[in-house]
Amino acid sequence: MCLIEKSRTIPLYLQKLQALDRRLPAFHPKRAEVENELARWRAGFKGEQSIDYHLGFLNEDWRILHNLRLHDGTRSFQIDTLLLTTSCIILVEVKNITGILTLDAEFHQLIRFDNEKEEAFQHPVHQADRHKMQMGWWLERNHIPSLPIKTLVVMAHPRSVLKRKNGTAGMYPQVIPAYLLPDKIHELHRHYPDPVLSDADVRELIRLLLAAHSESPQNPLHRHHIPSSDLVKGVFCPACGKTVMERIHGNWLCPHCGCTSKKAHHQALQDYAFLIHPRISNQEAASFLHISSPSTMKRLLRSLSYPASGSGRAVKYKILLD
Ligand SMILES: [Zn+2]
């Protein structure tokens, strides 16, 4: 079995979008726009997860790092899956797009035909080529001997149909359906039989990659120009979703479904961290959770063991994420 050095986790931006989806009023003018973006991110993540089964067929020569976000010196780039051996690197780009997909070499775009509608996307091979170039720069900056870099673009949607424009047969051999992934990886590997790195070099490279990874600081509120004052405050019911709970006798109670919870406020505070600020004062937390007693709020924050800094009224708690 291949070794997973960085596992696939829900991208931070997707978690932020999910928090925004929870907290945006039902009839907010930006709701459709946010829901569209959320659907795209969910589909993308589902597509990435769907290749894991196929990667399970690789042997222990392969080290795998998922969702790496690196900086090439000028700008950041995101790699869905990076495969590493002593002789090469393979960057895997995953697209989860449904419909009839045509690769257009002339205008460098991917055209999707679905539901009687035509839509253009960025050509995934060009995107992969750019990542390859950026990865090359990154290796150079980190003084890593020239390691061959190959790319693969996986069309992960089980019902997408891949087509080429006439006269481009044989073009884009790196674009493949998910089930071909192990075969294609072995085929690429056969071109690079000679190790460029030692096992120790590979371990060091993995250490460098993990240290260089950074999550995107992007905030969907800024992206969609939504002021944080538009967000619904309060503690949402973990069972029925969008109802704001009431605090009664040290418990959270949902007036809609009757569900009770001892720690539903943790989710609300995480939403605050995702969308507003990673640190929160007692007063800010009381206002966000609709808690009238400062001492109750203090007790709740302390019970969550969030690291605190500052003193007196200026104490801020660092909200821990699951
Ligand atoms: Zn409920």
Side-chain angles (χ1 to χ4, degrees):
M1 270 288 265
C2 54
L3 296 170
I4 296 183
E5 304 285 354
K6 182 175 182 298
S7 54
R8 200 184 294 291
T9 51
I10 303 176
L12 185 60
Y13 189 75
L14 174 52
Q15 295 190 56
K16 290 178 182 178
L17 270 176
Q18 286 172 336
L20 176 56
D21 181 51
R22 273 191 292 274
R23 302 243 157 222
L24 199 62
F27 298 104
H28 194 277
K30 295 288 172 76
R31 178 144 274 292
E33 197 181 297
V34 170
E35 280 177 5
N36 264 331
E37 198 191 21
L38 178 61
R40 271 206 315 280
W41 272 80
R42 279 189 173 142
F45 185 58
K46 205 172 150 207
E48 288 173 29
Q49 284 177 307
S50 75
I51 71 163
D52 292 349
Y53 168 78
H54 304 285
L55 292 174
F57 290 96
L58 298 177
N59 66 22
E60 64 280 359
D61 292 345
W62 293 95
R63 309 298 195 93
I64 299 186
L65 293 93
H66 292 300
N67 304 120
L68 260 187
R69 185 171 168 277
L70 303 173
H71 202 265
D72 70 8
T74 311
R75 51 181 76 80
S76 296
F77 61 109
Q78 169 91 35
I79 297 160
D80 294 340
T81 295
L82 183 148
L83 304 167
L84 177 63
T85 66
T86 51
S87 62
C88 68
I89 284 182
I90 300 177
L91 307 180
V92 183
E93 191 78 42
V94 185
K95 297 285 164 209
N96 194 16
I97 308 174
T98 170
I100 299 169
L101 308 173
T102 308
L103 294 165
D104 180 350
E106 193 180 353
F107 296 114
H108 308 292
Q109 46 186 354
L110 171 73
I111 300 156
R112 178 250 291 270
F113 187 75
D114 195 31
N115 286 330
E116 310 287 310
K117 211 175 77 191
E118 229 177 13
E119 200 180 339
F121 293 80
Q122 187 185 10
H123 200 303
V125 170
H126 290 251
Q127 196 183 6
D129 284 348
R130 205 183 52 227
H131 288 166
K132 174 180 168 174
M133 198 166 67
Q134 291 178 290
M135 190 74 228
W137 292 338
W138 188 92
L139 290 174
E140 225 175 271
R141 284 164 62 88
N142 287 279
H143 314 289
I144 289 158
S146 52
L147 195 59
I149 304 168
K150 303 305 284 180
T151 60
L152 287 174
V153 175
V154 176
M155 291 302 184
H157 201 283
R159 286 188 311 281
S160 63
V161 179
L162 271 174
K163 285 191 169 180
R164 296 169 213 279
K165 281 216 156 170
N166 287 340
T168 57
M171 243 180 154
Y172 311 128
Q174 64 273 63
V175 180
I176 55 168
Y179 65 86
L180 277 185
L181 200 51
D183 290 347
K184 201 72 188 179
I185 289 167
H186 289 137
E187 186 191 317
L188 287 176
H189 197 209
R190 275 197 296 276
H191 292 293
Y192 303 100
D194 304 321
V196 180
L197 303 177
S198 66
D199 288 334
D201 292 336
V202 168
R203 280 197 299 276
E204 175 61 9
L205 175 51
I206 290 167
R207 195 190 63 76
L208 286 172
L209 287 167
L210 291 173
H213 166 75
S214 66
E215 289 287 352
S216 162
Q218 216 179 25
N219 185 328
L221 281 183
H222 304 157
R223 192 180 157 80
H224 294 282
H225 307 290
I226 299 168
S228 60
S229 54
D230 284 6
L231 300 176
V232 178
K233 292 179 177 180
V235 172
F236 289 142
C237 171
C240 69
K242 294 199 169 176
T243 309
V244 173
M245 302 181 96
E246 291 159 11
R247 185 134 185 104
I248 291 166
H249 306 308
N251 254 326
W252 293 103
L253 171 73
C254 174
H256 178 69
C257 73
C259 162
T260 61
S261 165
K262 280 242 175 267
K263 46 181 196 207
H265 50 278
H266 177 49
Q267 169 76 70
L269 290 165
Q270 286 192 89
D271 286 354
Y272 186 94
F274 285 140
L275 300 172
I276 301 172
H277 201 276
R279 310 180 88 86
I280 196 166
S281 70
N282 198 68
Q283 204 186 350
E284 287 160 345
S287 153
F288 194 70
L289 303 189
H290 291 156
I291 285 179
S292 50
S293 151
S295 60
T296 302
M297 192 62 249
K298 201 171 183 174
R299 212 172 42 248
L300 281 177
L301 282 168
R302 288 197 170 154
S303 73
L304 289 163
S305 315
Y306 292 158
S309 58
S311 59
R313 282 176 147 263
V315 174
K316 288 260 188 181
Y317 297 85
K318 167 109 178 63
I319 300 164
L320 298 178
L321 303 175
D322 289 339

